[in-house]
């Protein structure tokens, strides 16, 4: 099933942040949010979670980056 383009909202980013802090993998987050895993990887980079450090992701930082 092909996923359609979806722009992430601030609420989506807060949900991503919570899942990151809970230790979820990017593929699990993508499936839960019904987006491609590349969207999650881009979002993690935007939110300051570089080099595989998902715990550092900040929804506020990602929101300000757009």
């Amino acid at each position: 099933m092909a996923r359609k383009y979806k722009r992430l909202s601030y609420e989506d980013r807060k949900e991503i942040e919570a899942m990151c802090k809970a230790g979820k993998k990017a593929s699990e987050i993508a499936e839960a949010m019904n987006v491609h895993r590349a969207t999650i990887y881009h979002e993690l980079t935007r939110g300051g979670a570089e080099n595989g450090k998902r715990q550092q992701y900040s929804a506020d930082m990602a929101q300000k980056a757009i």
Side-chain angles (χ1 to χ4, degrees):
M1 179 171 117
R3 295 183 178 119
K4 293 185 177 184
Y5 173 78
K6 176 184 174 187
R7 179 168 282 193
L8 297 175
S9 66
Y10 181 66
E11 290 77 24
D12 293 333
R13 290 184 173 93
K14 292 299 279 185
E15 190 174 340
I16 291 170
E17 183 175 2
M19 286 190 251
C20 285
K21 296 206 186 310
K24 300 286 185 184
K25 296 179 182 179
S27 58
E28 294 172 329
I29 296 170
E31 188 175 326
M33 302 204 60
N34 197 31
V35 297
H36 195 275
R37 72 175 178 268
T39 301
I40 300 301
Y41 284 120
H42 291 152
E43 187 62 27
L44 292 175
T45 301
R46 183 178 293 119
E50 297 182 46
N51 302 322
K53 297 180 181 176
R54 262 182 257 117
Q55 301 291 338
Q56 295 178 350
Y57 175 77
S58 167
D60 294 326
M61 180 187 283
Q63 187 69 24
K64 289 177 187 175
I66 11 181

